[in-house]
Amino acid sequence: MKWRDVIARADRIQKSRAFKIAASVVVVAAAIAVFSVYAVQRGLEATEGTLGSGAGIAARADGAQASGATPNPGLADGQAGPAAVDEEAAALGASAGVAGTTKRAMDRVLAGREDMTSLAVGLAVVSGLTIVVIWLGLFLTHLAIAVVIVGIAYPMTQFRPVRTYGSMLLGVAALAWAFNVGLAVVRLLYSGSNPVLSVARNVLSEAVRLKLSLVFILLLMFLLATLPMLLDPQTPLRYRVQAFLQYSTGGAFWLIAVLTLLFSVSTVTLEQRSKIIWQTMTKPVAAWQYILGKWLGVVGLNAVLLLVCSAGVFLFTEYLRSTPAMGEVAAYVPENRGERITEDRLILETQVLQARVSVLPPPDLSPDDPEFQAAVRDYIVGIQNTDPVFKAAENDVQRRAALDALYERMHEELYQSQVTKLRSIEPGQGRPFVFEGLRYAASNSEPLILRYKFDAGSNQPDESYRVTLVVGDRYFLVREASIGMFHAVPIAPVIVVPLPGSSRPFGVTVDDPQFADLEAMMEAGATEIEYLEAGDLIGPEGTLQVDIANGEVTTRYTNPDPMTFPPDGVEISYPHGGYRGNFVRVVLVLWVKLAFLAMLAIAASTFLSFPVACMVAMATFLAAESSGFLTVALETFNYHDQENQVVLAKYVIFTVASAVAGLFGVYHDLDPIGRIVDGRLLAWSSVAVGVGVLGGLTGVLYAAAVLVFRRRELATYSGQ
Amino acid sequence: MARRGFTTRGSGQSVVVCQGLIKTFKDFWMRDRARAVDGVTFEINRGEVFGLLGPNGSGKSTTIKVLLGLLRATKGRVAVFGLPPSDVETKKRIGYLPEESFLYPFLNARETLDYYAKLFEIDHRTRSKRIDELLDMVGLKSAQFRQVREYSKGMQRRIGLAQALINDPELLILDEPTSGLDPIGTKQVKDLIIELGRRGKTILLSSHLLADVEDCVSRMVILYGGKIRAEGTCEQLLESTSRTTIETETLDDATVAEIDGLIRRRSGGDHSVLRVSRPRQRLEDLFLDIVEKARAEMAPTSGARHDGQTASFLLGGPVVGDDLISSLTSDVEEPGAAGPMAPMQEARVGAARAAEPSEEMISSLLRDASRPRDGDEGGESRGGEDGERGDGADELGAVASVAARDAAARARDGRADVVKGPAAAPAPNPARGLPPARSAAGKPPAAPANVDDDLIRNLLGDKGDKGDGTAGGAGGAQGSRT
């Protein structure tokens, strides 16, 4: 039998209904079987204590010794503290089982080890795509291609010199396969007999058959497949995960955004230039149908690209999560047996792969504060005679104008100066930071993280300062912190231990190796130590005060220079929802942004040529992406010269930039990539606002595009 | 809500009305740069094949683009089916083939037709059927899965024509439809245009290839510099009233001299034989013959095929003149007393029968042809009568010749179906007064001026007697030459 006959026969088989049904059943059964086997295996491992769960650690923690490592260098030698651990108490506590104590934060973190959601998602995605391929009548074809690729790539992964390339090939092949299948699904959705869907489906064909877009798609696949190879295995796991999330999500978004702009422009302008549009618009196709069809086509393409990329990012992030963190011998199994959880793992699980709400303290000073304004006026009165414009004024009107201009300038300068002063703490001094809106955290006893960053002296990177934190007036901590970097301290839950000579007890946080020991002591009945959660620290109005001192208060140690906290230099965050839900919302917002960009490019193409439309679309995109930077830059932008005269060019720049920053404020504030990298919550309310605003802008652009397109004489182009 | 259409002066049957159309192109500064169309006024009636002729730059394409809404008129009124050209409803009834085929290069032929069919919201089953038929008709079935970018220009024109017909349009606008086609393709397009015209389609045909247009259009305007320079039917514009052409078998010099002498005597020396020459076969005919032979030999080709049938959905209902054709071929269709024949034999018999129509039919044709035309003067009436008889007879000859050719072709192909007569050939429609289809051999002889019937009979001798059969003989001769 010739090859051609074999192929023809196989094609008939894969297109037969019986085969499709049977293959679908096999795929679903296989997925369930794999999941079940994995679940059972996990369960057995958990029972045997080899997983590294809390219970497992406790079971192994016989004769746990204090590690001796402490993050509290402020304690003087000889002082009784939680460092000394009773072996018997520890063993007693360990044998009693940690599970008997309410320790939601730790349990939640460690429960991630047993979570198989990612496996379920992965299996569901692969099964779904496979079933689509089966019902498209292409299963055997795809299977054959997969066998060939795996046959080439897998052996490569077994040999060190080409292992990377083999993995890359497998990654690219998997992404390309998912993309092809996803595109087939969207083409099916667009297969209706009406102008809008017909145009949209044509756009999809154009995307994969023209070099312009194909290059971008291949580049995207290559980027995602290559990125994991570039992660340095020596860096802490949390940094690797953050770096991967940053570059994969950010890189994918930027590539897809540029593709969207270029492709959306080309699909409309090149049709006009080559007159292909004549054949379409002499058919019963209204302008609104044509524009809508083009937009839907690009949006559909973006949906497929984004889903494929985000699925790849998500699954690989989950894979990274399951690898050992710094200080672990296996995932969730600390090297140090006395440790319940390593710092790297804790930060990863509670800060990075989370959806945290961040609360900043309210501004110390309002620009409209009456006292401040009065002070500024008094200041100006004092210096007005040194102002050259005021001195040159010839009448009251001119003097008034000069004073107004001077007031405007000085108000901003003095405000910045005052705020900086208020946020500075002199050596040996302290100041309170009050956080509001923490009712949810209190009522749900969510773990609280305090993040802070300060500047001091010349911000030497190898210099560190001692910082004393008094939390909710219930306990205090001392930390050694580097200058100019963010630090995170889990301030709740906490175990507080009385400290002789101190009015406040000392707090032992969950990342402290002694935390587990103290828990055991509590189990044993120790009454002098106390376990505090968020609800114990936060007031009934949802407020929490944290006092920060420049130095170590208990030992009267002071740092050499004042510490200055920037406006976002102190925040409290707590989890509000899961990382996975947050990830879905982030992808949704990215898709909405891309849809806006697509309509922007199409609208520009209705009346501009290809290069000009590309330029306009790109410029608008860059302006939108940099609107956050613009907002910050405009705060210090001065459009006056040294003689306090308004410089027209600068004023124009200021006005335009302000308009752009304001227009795209929502676009920037959504910041989906920043949120997923930092583990900050992107709430559904924010998503709704983003969709509403961007959707509205998209609608305005659509209406404008239709109006312009209807008026165009399509038989002319660029004046021809 | 009822649509508000134009109220223009036009007959009730007007499909396209153009009144005082002016189109001026402006530059970036809105200054007038070129006046492409300058006060053009015309109407296209339903069922007409209308020619828009003129040299390059005369405003033909601009006029068409205004009709299609691709350009807006600077001044004047334009209505298509009573509605403005920009109205989407209008476009459901229009098929358009631009001067070049502007197609998506990344789609194949099938996808191209599918895409355009969906724009008309044609359902899947109908779409599929029509695409199959159109691909077959334009000879691209074997190349339907190749991307359009790989097509030759001729193939692209064919697929362009197919997309113009996908919606079975009432108004077909063809801008240089034969551009890029070989002579066979050109002939097929012309045949298709004529066929569609017979089927009641309204066709607007724009071209500067006058020979291609002449055979198809019923009425035309000729543009130059954006203005109409001439307007009318082919007969009105093309017939010469100052010459007579007589075609016979080869004559020796003495006979020619005698004819010359006779003419001089009859006209008192005012007229004489102006030119004697041997008719040349047209290059197109030679080309067609060669291709026919190659097809008969089943020579392979990777280009478009030329044996497609007109798509059935385009043929629509019965056509005026169908009865005539049916009756002409009815003898062939009847199995006959001789009993069933082999397909080849049947086809040959059919071909022979088609070439020898019954006397009754000939008489009826001659009767039709002998009715005086409006405006014919008395002196010319007899000549005109004979001329019309000649014309009618020549129609028969033309019909017969095409039928014979088709029958021969089918015989070669071994088809069992009987020759149906010139169903796909340009058939005459005496009732509509259209000019007779031109056979490949050239134009029919017009009635000579100032030369009476006796002279003709004398010149043609016995062959004249066959004309009640004269034209039958002449037509037969024409048929046999092809």
Side-chain angles (χ1 to χ4, degrees), chain A residues 317-330:
Chain A
T317 303
E318 293 294 311
Y319 163 72
L320 275 180
R321 191 185 205 173
S322 67
T323 58
M326 185 162 275
E328 289 180 346
V329 294

PDB file of all heavy atoms in Angstrom, chain A residues 317-330:
ATOM      1  N   THR A 317       4.581  29.024  35.730  1.00  0.00           N
ATOM      2  CA  THR A 317       4.697  29.611  37.074  1.00  0.00           C
ATOM      3  C   THR A 317       4.360  28.569  38.126  1.00  0.00           C
ATOM      4  O   THR A 317       5.033  28.467  39.166  1.00  0.00           O
ATOM      5  CB  THR A 317       3.761  30.818  37.215  1.00  0.00           C
ATOM      6  OG1 THR A 317       4.068  31.776  36.206  1.00  0.00           O
ATOM      7  CG2 THR A 317       3.881  31.473  38.579  1.00  0.00           C
ATOM      8  N   GLU A 318       3.324  27.817  37.870  1.00  0.00           N
ATOM      9  CA  GLU A 318       2.964  26.756  38.797  1.00  0.00           C
ATOM     10  C   GLU A 318       4.083  25.722  38.891  1.00  0.00           C
ATOM     11  O   GLU A 318       4.347  25.151  39.966  1.00  0.00           O
ATOM     12  CB  GLU A 318       1.661  26.080  38.373  1.00  0.00           C
ATOM     13  CG  GLU A 318       0.443  26.994  38.482  1.00  0.00           C
ATOM     14  CD  GLU A 318       0.132  27.358  39.926  1.00  0.00           C
ATOM     15  OE1 GLU A 318       0.076  26.463  40.792  1.00  0.00           O
ATOM     16  OE2 GLU A 318      -0.060  28.554  40.202  1.00  0.00           O
ATOM     17  N   TYR A 319       4.704  25.477  37.759  1.00  0.00           N
ATOM     18  CA  TYR A 319       5.831  24.541  37.786  1.00  0.00           C
ATOM     19  C   TYR A 319       6.970  25.096  38.649  1.00  0.00           C
ATOM     20  O   TYR A 319       7.551  24.390  39.475  1.00  0.00           O
ATOM     21  CB  TYR A 319       6.315  24.274  36.362  1.00  0.00           C
ATOM     22  CG  TYR A 319       7.696  23.669  36.300  1.00  0.00           C
ATOM     23  CD1 TYR A 319       7.920  22.347  36.676  1.00  0.00           C
ATOM     24  CD2 TYR A 319       8.803  24.432  35.928  1.00  0.00           C
ATOM     25  CE1 TYR A 319       9.193  21.802  36.653  1.00  0.00           C
ATOM     26  CE2 TYR A 319      10.074  23.894  35.905  1.00  0.00           C
ATOM     27  CZ  TYR A 319      10.261  22.584  36.268  1.00  0.00           C
ATOM     28  OH  TYR A 319      11.529  22.053  36.263  1.00  0.00           O
ATOM     29  N   LEU A 320       7.281  26.382  38.446  1.00  0.00           N
ATOM     30  CA  LEU A 320       8.340  27.012  39.255  1.00  0.00           C
ATOM     31  C   LEU A 320       7.993  26.943  40.732  1.00  0.00           C
ATOM     32  O   LEU A 320       8.853  26.694  41.587  1.00  0.00           O
ATOM     33  CB  LEU A 320       8.496  28.483  38.855  1.00  0.00           C
ATOM     34  CG  LEU A 320       9.399  28.813  37.672  1.00  0.00           C
ATOM     35  CD1 LEU A 320       9.416  30.312  37.433  1.00  0.00           C
ATOM     36  CD2 LEU A 320      10.810  28.298  37.887  1.00  0.00           C
ATOM     37  N   ARG A 321       6.733  27.150  41.020  1.00  0.00           N
ATOM     38  CA  ARG A 321       6.275  27.125  42.413  1.00  0.00           C
ATOM     39  C   ARG A 321       6.550  25.770  43.052  1.00  0.00           C
ATOM     40  O   ARG A 321       6.784  25.678  44.260  1.00  0.00           O
ATOM     41  CB  ARG A 321       4.782  27.410  42.419  1.00  0.00           C
ATOM     42  CG  ARG A 321       4.180  27.681  43.757  1.00  0.00           C
ATOM     43  CD  ARG A 321       2.678  27.827  43.577  1.00  0.00           C
ATOM     44  NE  ARG A 321       2.076  28.623  44.622  1.00  0.00           N
ATOM     45  CZ  ARG A 321       0.818  29.008  44.616  1.00  0.00           C
ATOM     46  NH1 ARG A 321       0.037  28.691  43.629  1.00  0.00           N
ATOM     47  NH2 ARG A 321       0.335  29.716  45.608  1.00  0.00           N
ATOM     48  N   SER A 322       6.503  24.759  42.225  1.00  0.00           N
ATOM     49  CA  SER A 322       6.689  23.402  42.769  1.00  0.00           C
ATOM     50  C   SER A 322       8.156  23.000  42.847  1.00  0.00           C
ATOM     51  O   SER A 322       8.472  21.858  43.183  1.00  0.00           O
ATOM     52  CB  SER A 322       5.929  22.397  41.891  1.00  0.00           C
ATOM     53  OG  SER A 322       6.526  22.338  40.610  1.00  0.00           O
ATOM     54  N   THR A 323       9.057  23.922  42.504  1.00  0.00           N
ATOM     55  CA  THR A 323      10.486  23.621  42.638  1.00  0.00           C
ATOM     56  C   THR A 323      10.975  24.137  43.997  1.00  0.00           C
ATOM     57  O   THR A 323      10.327  24.984  44.604  1.00  0.00           O
ATOM     58  CB  THR A 323      11.302  24.286  41.514  1.00  0.00           C
ATOM     59  OG1 THR A 323      11.075  25.699  41.545  1.00  0.00           O
ATOM     60  CG2 THR A 323      10.889  23.738  40.163  1.00  0.00           C
ATOM     61  N   PRO A 324      12.093  23.646  44.496  1.00  0.00           N
ATOM     62  CA  PRO A 324      12.552  24.074  45.816  1.00  0.00           C
ATOM     63  C   PRO A 324      12.916  25.559  45.856  1.00  0.00           C
ATOM     64  O   PRO A 324      13.547  26.071  44.941  1.00  0.00           O
ATOM     65  CB  PRO A 324      13.805  23.224  46.056  1.00  0.00           C
ATOM     66  CG  PRO A 324      13.675  22.065  45.133  1.00  0.00           C
ATOM     67  CD  PRO A 324      12.923  22.572  43.952  1.00  0.00           C
ATOM     68  N   ALA A 325      12.497  26.219  46.922  1.00  0.00           N
ATOM     69  CA  ALA A 325      12.891  27.615  47.134  1.00  0.00           C
ATOM     70  C   ALA A 325      14.276  27.637  47.786  1.00  0.00           C
ATOM     71  O   ALA A 325      14.829  26.588  48.131  1.00  0.00           O
ATOM     72  CB  ALA A 325      11.863  28.310  48.020  1.00  0.00           C
ATOM     73  N   MET A 326      14.766  28.824  47.982  1.00  0.00           N
ATOM     74  CA  MET A 326      16.086  28.945  48.620  1.00  0.00           C
ATOM     75  C   MET A 326      15.989  28.443  50.053  1.00  0.00           C
ATOM     76  O   MET A 326      15.113  28.876  50.807  1.00  0.00           O
ATOM     77  CB  MET A 326      16.532  30.406  48.584  1.00  0.00           C
ATOM     78  CG  MET A 326      17.935  30.620  49.100  1.00  0.00           C
ATOM     79  SD  MET A 326      18.598  32.188  48.564  1.00  0.00           S
ATOM     80  CE  MET A 326      19.230  31.793  46.987  1.00  0.00           C
ATOM     81  N   GLY A 327      16.847  27.529  50.445  1.00  0.00           N
ATOM     82  CA  GLY A 327      16.808  26.970  51.790  1.00  0.00           C
ATOM     83  C   GLY A 327      15.920  25.745  51.896  1.00  0.00           C
ATOM     84  O   GLY A 327      15.667  25.277  53.008  1.00  0.00           O
ATOM     85  N   GLU A 328      15.465  25.218  50.794  1.00  0.00           N
ATOM     86  CA  GLU A 328      14.624  24.019  50.830  1.00  0.00           C
ATOM     87  C   GLU A 328      15.344  22.870  50.140  1.00  0.00           C
ATOM     88  O   GLU A 328      16.111  23.077  49.201  1.00  0.00           O
ATOM     89  CB  GLU A 328      13.286  24.268  50.099  1.00  0.00           C
ATOM     90  CG  GLU A 328      12.346  25.210  50.836  1.00  0.00           C
ATOM     91  CD  GLU A 328      11.046  25.414  50.076  1.00  0.00           C
ATOM     92  OE1 GLU A 328      10.984  25.054  48.883  1.00  0.00           O
ATOM     93  OE2 GLU A 328      10.082  25.929  50.677  1.00  0.00           O
ATOM     94  N   VAL A 329      15.062  21.697  50.598  1.00  0.00           N
ATOM     95  CA  VAL A 329      15.602  20.504  49.931  1.00  0.00           C
ATOM     96  C   VAL A 329      14.603  19.962  48.921  1.00  0.00           C
ATOM     97  O   VAL A 329      14.967  19.253  47.991  1.00  0.00           O
ATOM     98  CB  VAL A 329      15.976  19.405  50.951  1.00  0.00           C
ATOM     99  CG1 VAL A 329      17.129  19.865  51.820  1.00  0.00           C
ATOM    100  CG2 VAL A 329      14.782  19.048  51.817  1.00  0.00           C
ATOM    101  N   ALA A 330      13.383  20.259  49.162  1.00  0.00           N
ATOM    102  CA  ALA A 330      12.319  19.919  48.207  1.00  0.00           C
ATOM    103  C   ALA A 330      11.273  20.996  48.369  1.00  0.00           C
ATOM    104  O   ALA A 330      11.326  21.789  49.319  1.00  0.00           O
ATOM    105  CB  ALA A 330      11.737  18.537  48.505  1.00  0.00           C
TER     106      ALA A 330
END
